[in-house]
């Protein structure tokens, strides 16, 4: 079975107002003393002191993934409470920090000037050459993963009209969106090297493509999703991503290469997913035409169905997609809560982020 690891980025907020709190170092220090994690799991700092990250170990089964994700969230919540702040999973903050820190390390400050939280899924593959080929195969499905994950509708307390404002923010940076088609790993390395040489990227590890070969181990990293409000939604992203990777590996074993996408259609599909999520039209980036978003979700499930069945995850994925269809995305739930005021959104996110025992 193919291992999955998920990185979840969270915001640290004032539990009374929802304003971002720059207390990551204190929360990390407290975590090291008070809060153990499963083997292989970890907590890391993020570019800004108002953000923090929990990382699972390499998980083989959905049950393992649930256990690691739940433990990471509970650990952070306990450590944060000790520093008079709370942890929430939202792609963008409800309110920026009143004493916003402008002294982030140079390496981060040059490329990421604001708070944006994602759910990053790592799946192992044999080598870097395979990773580049798999990323090509993933390209057409990345907008659908994004549509399923929209969880950042607000900016500075105002409704942006988007499901994923995080995606819009990150589109400002070079190396965002769907990566170009690369014929091999050498072509990938050459292109990234040119972007670094031109001063566009700080280093070869800091592209913002929605999927890319992992820079740390033999695998691919899929960064399409907003951070997931619930553990269920994070697990859904993990299982679907593994299903896509396993399907791509099967296709490659059969000699089936990915079809390069038209760059404009790829951008249109990402924009539509960020704008509408599951509530509006989608763009099929291969056919180059508008389609109902439900058709793209159904096509994703059909495409990954055999791989999900092989890992024993198909029934669970169907269940989680059904929950999402009934309850809506995180962005939709944030908007419904906002009818009762900003504090109601904070309450909803706090309750959804940390599973109860």
């Amino acid at each position: 079975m193919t291992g999955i690891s998920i990185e979840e980025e969270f915001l640290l907020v004032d539990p009374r107002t929802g304003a971002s709190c720059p207390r990551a170092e204190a929360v990390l220090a407290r975590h090291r003393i008070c809060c153990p994690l499963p083997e292989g799991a970890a907590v890391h700092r993020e570019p800004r002191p108002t953000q923090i990250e929990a990382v699972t170990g390499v998980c083989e089964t959905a049950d393992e993934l649930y256990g690691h994700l739940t433990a990471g969230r509970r650990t952070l919540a306990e450590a944060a409470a000790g520093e008079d702040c709370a942890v929430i999973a939202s792609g963008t903050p409800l309110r920026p920090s009143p004493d916003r820190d402008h002294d982030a390390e140079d390496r981060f400050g040059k490329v990421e000037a604001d708070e944006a939280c994602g759910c990053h899924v790592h799946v192992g593959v044999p080598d870097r050459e395979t990773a580049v080929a798999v990323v090509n195969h993933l390209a057409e499905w990345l907008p659908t993963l994004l549509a399923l994950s929209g969880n950042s509708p607000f900016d500075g307390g105002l409704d942006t009209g988007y499901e994923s404002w995080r995606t819009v923010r990150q589109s400002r940076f070079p190396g965002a969106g769907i990566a170009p088609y690369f014929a091999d790993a050498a072509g990938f390395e050459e292109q990234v090297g040119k972007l670094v040489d031109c001063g566009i990227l700080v280093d070869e590890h800091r592209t913002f493509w929605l999927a890319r070969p992992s820079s740390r181990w033999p695998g691919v990293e899929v960064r399409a999703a907003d951070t997931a409000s619930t553990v269920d939604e994070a697990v859904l992203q993990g299982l679907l991503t593994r299903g896509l990777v396993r399907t791509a590996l099967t296709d490659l074993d059969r000699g089936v290469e990915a079809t390069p996408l038209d760059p404009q259609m790829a951008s249109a599909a990402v924009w539509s997913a960020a704008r509408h999520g599951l509530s509006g039209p989608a763009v099929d980036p291969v056919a180059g035409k508008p389609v109902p978003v439900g058709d793209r979700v159904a096509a994703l499930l059909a495409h990954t169905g055999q791989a999900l069945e092989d890992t024993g995850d198909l029934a669970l994925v169907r269940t989680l997609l059904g929950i999402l269809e009934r309850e809506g995305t995180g962005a939709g739930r944030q908007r419904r809560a906002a009818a009762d005021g900003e504090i109601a959104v904070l309450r909803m996110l706090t309750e959804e982020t940390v599973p109860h025992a």
Side-chain angles (χ1 to χ4, degrees):
M1 195 175 291
T2 312
I4 312 170
S5 177
I6 296 182
E7 301 173 0
E8 295 196 281
E9 297 170 339
F10 300 101
L11 293 166
L12 296 171
V13 300
D14 185 312
R16 295 163 292 275
T17 67
S20 300
C21 293
R23 296 179 191 164
E25 290 298 338
V27 171
L28 280 170
R30 185 175 290 271
H31 145 72
R32 295 187 190 105
I33 298 169
C34 75
C35 312
L37 286 168
E39 184 176 356
V43 172
H44 297 146
R45 65 159 295 189
E46 275 293 292
R48 303 204 62 79
T50 54
Q51 294 172 290
I52 202 160
E53 176 184 80
V55 184
T56 73
V58 178
C59 299
E60 299 291 337
T61 67
D63 285 344
E64 277 187 276
L65 202 53
Y66 269 109
H68 279 230
L69 290 165
T70 299
R73 288 172 179 233
R74 288 178 178 168
T75 287
L76 285 179
E78 181 179 346
E83 298 298 329
D84 193 30
C85 54
V87 175
I88 62 169
S90 178
T92 50
L94 302 182
R95 290 187 186 180
S97 172
D99 51 348
R100 187 180 177 96
D101 180 279
H102 293 283
D103 298 322
E105 289 182 20
D106 236 14
R107 178 172 181 271
F108 293 123
K110 289 178 182 175
V111 298
E112 191 161 19
D114 52 19
E115 302 157 299
C117 295
C119 174
H120 303 164
V121 182
H122 294 259
V123 181
V125 300
D127 51 50
R128 192 148 181 90
E129 203 71 53
T130 303
V132 171
V134 167
V135 168
N136 290 336
H137 275 269
L138 298 182
E140 71 169 285
W141 303 107
L142 298 173
T144 308
L145 292 178
L146 170 59
L148 290 167
S149 77
N151 189 34
S152 51
F154 299 115
D155 181 48
L158 300 176
D159 192 331
T160 64
Y162 283 76
E163 289 271 302
S164 176
W165 189 245
R166 162 188 161 269
T167 300
V168 177
R169 282 184 168 184
Q170 293 193 334
S171 70
R172 296 174 299 168
F173 300 114
I178 294 175
Y181 181 96
F182 293 105
D184 51 32
F188 174 84
E189 306 293 354
E190 180 183 3
Q191 178 79 333
V192 172
K194 287 180 178 178
L195 292 172
V196 173
D197 290 345
C198 290
I200 303 302
L201 299 180
V202 174
D203 59 43
E204 66 273 15
H205 306 295
R206 297 299 292 180
T207 70
F208 281 85
W209 285 321
L210 300 185
R212 63 189 187 184
S214 176
S215 61
R216 292 183 292 177
W217 52 296
V220 299
E221 180 184 7
V222 176
R223 307 159 54 87
D226 283 1
T227 194
S229 180
T230 67
V231 170
D232 277 347
E233 289 163 305
V235 169
L236 178 62
Q237 286 288 323
L239 297 181
L240 283 172
T241 299
R242 178 166 68 177
L244 284 167
V245 171
R246 288 175 64 93
T247 302
L249 291 172
T250 298
D251 285 343
L252 290 167
D253 285 344
R254 295 171 178 164
V256 178
E257 296 292 336
T259 302
L261 299 180
D262 176 274
Q264 288 300 307
M265 288 300 102
S267 295
V270 171
W271 180 87
S272 186
R275 178 68 173 85
H276 302 294
L278 296 179
S279 64
V283 172
D284 182 332
V286 175
K289 64 181 184 181
V291 294
V293 68
D295 288 3
R296 291 303 292 164
V297 174
L300 171 61
L301 189 58
H303 180 71
T304 57
Q306 186 59 58
L308 291 169
E309 189 171 342
D310 290 344
T311 56
D313 297 321
L314 182 57
L316 175 58
V317 166
R318 288 185 185 278
T319 296
L320 295 177
L321 284 171
I323 293 170
L324 197 57
E325 183 179 356
R326 291 193 305 273
E327 299 185 0
T329 61
R333 299 194 302 275
Q334 285 197 44
R335 286 190 170 105
R336 290 201 301 272
D340 294 321
E342 195 172 72
I343 297 303
V345 182
L346 172 62
R347 186 182 310 116
M348 181 276 287
L349 285 170
T350 303
E351 291 174 354
E352 288 196 357
T353 299
V354 185
H356 299 293

